Amino acid sequence: MTEHPTPSPRARELVAGAYDTHIHVAPDVMRRRIDDLALAPRFAAVGLAGFVLKSHYVPTAERAAVVNAAVPECRAVGAITLNGSVGGLNPIAVDIAGRGGAQVVWLPTVDSSNQRECTAAMPDGATPPMWAQLQDELRAEGMAADPVEVLDADGGVREITRQVLRVVAKHDMTLATGHLSTGEIEVVTRAALDEGVRRVVVTHPEFTSQRVAAERQRRLAEQGVLLERCFTTPYTGKVAWRTWVDNVRAAGPENSVLSSDLGQPFNPPVEDGLAILADWLLAEGFTESEIRTMAVANSRWLAGADSERAGAATAAQEGTR
């Protein structure tokens, strides 16, 4: 069995009150380390406020409601990812998810045109994502969805994309950029802000199919967009740790949010991800205040736990959930 890092008590304290805004747990179409009902009391036991349930294939607001009824001391947050299994860019699906309490809307991930066309070589020793095998199986059975395009042939934002963005804004949901390319991220992010979306986060910009350069990350941050720093991206060898750290510093800790992207059977326990990152960031010289901002204040804003980004830090420090 692989031995994983154990978080320090100091790190646990630093991330107390945080939400992990990106996890993959059961029930799912892939094997997972733990299910949502079993995970919730573990989060509560280590002082974490909650988690966002991400699936590449199904909406999760109903599961979040089940978890919240069973384990009220930990708040589960529902989400939807706009891949082929929900009809791609489907404003109706987004609206229904919002009415059902979902907070996060991921733009296409496994079915994005960029992910389909990405030719970036996986670094030596990197662990491939679990969904890659499922995508291959669907393709072999003739059930691969058409790529989900967010831009038109001229590089402009499609009207269906804008309709999705307006629904996100209507419900004050969080928009995550999924596995879009750097160019797509910049165009769609600007459109989202123009349509009134308040909470925008660039999904793991260091991931193999994104590779958003530091300068572009800085430009996005200047618009008020958060950059997601996933634990698994460096942990599974998809990016060098030094690059990950340098990008945090380049864009500014105040513009970054920590998440784990955990839930895979071969990776550490989900409830340990944020605290392990906190230990690593302390070792890199980041201050406790910077880590609290990345782990707690910004995650609470994206999870919808705090209505204003500037007030999230105060609420988190007071130990509210």
Side-chain angles (χ1 to χ4, degrees), residues 111-122:
D111 289 330
S112 71
S113 178
N114 175 62
Q115 186 62 61
R116 293 286 186 86
E117 297 173 2
C118 180
T119 57
M122 190 74 72

Side-chain angles (χ1 to χ4, degrees), residues 50-223:
F51 47 75
V52 177
L53 292 167
K54 182 178 183 183
S55 168
H56 290 293
Y57 298 100
V58 298
T60 63
E62 290 184 354
R63 285 301 309 180
V66 170
V67 174
N68 291 332
V71 190
E73 60 269 26
C74 175
R75 177 172 171 253
V77 180
I80 185 171
T81 307
L82 302 184
N83 288 317
S85 58
V86 300
L89 297 176
N90 184 347
I92 296 174
V94 176
D95 193 62
I96 294 301
R99 291 170 187 264
Q103 175 62 35
V104 181
V105 178
W106 270 276
L107 291 173
T109 57
V110 299
D111 289 330
S112 71
S113 178
N114 175 62
Q115 186 62 61
R116 293 286 186 86
E117 297 173 2
C118 180
T119 57
M122 190 74 72
D124 291 341
T127 305
M130 291 185 68
W131 47 260
Q133 180 179 346
L134 176 57
Q135 290 295 102
D136 289 343
E137 291 174 0
L138 292 172
R139 191 174 300 110
E141 295 176 18
M143 292 188 291
D146 292 334
V148 180
E149 303 283 1
V150 297
L151 305 182
D152 60 28
D154 297 322
V157 180
R158 297 177 63 197
E159 179 54 34
I160 193 70
T161 305
R162 288 194 177 274
Q163 191 173 2
V164 165
L165 297 178
R166 288 193 286 270
V167 175
V168 172
K170 180 181 76 169
H171 292 291
D172 197 19
M173 300 164 86
T174 296
L175 182 76
T177 58
H179 292 196
L180 302 185
S181 69
T182 297
E184 290 172 326
I185 289 169
E186 291 182 325
V187 174
V188 173
T189 292
R190 183 67 264 166
L193 297 172
D194 289 345
E195 294 291 350
V197 179
R198 296 199 306 144
R199 311 167 204 254
V200 182
V201 58
V202 177
T203 307
H204 45 45
E206 287 78 34
F207 195 73
T208 49
S209 56
Q210 274 76 63
R211 297 291 197 233
V212 182
E215 179 56 37
R216 284 183 156 178
Q217 290 194 31
R218 281 194 293 267
R219 290 205 301 266
L220 288 162
E222 288 170 358
Q223 300 178 51

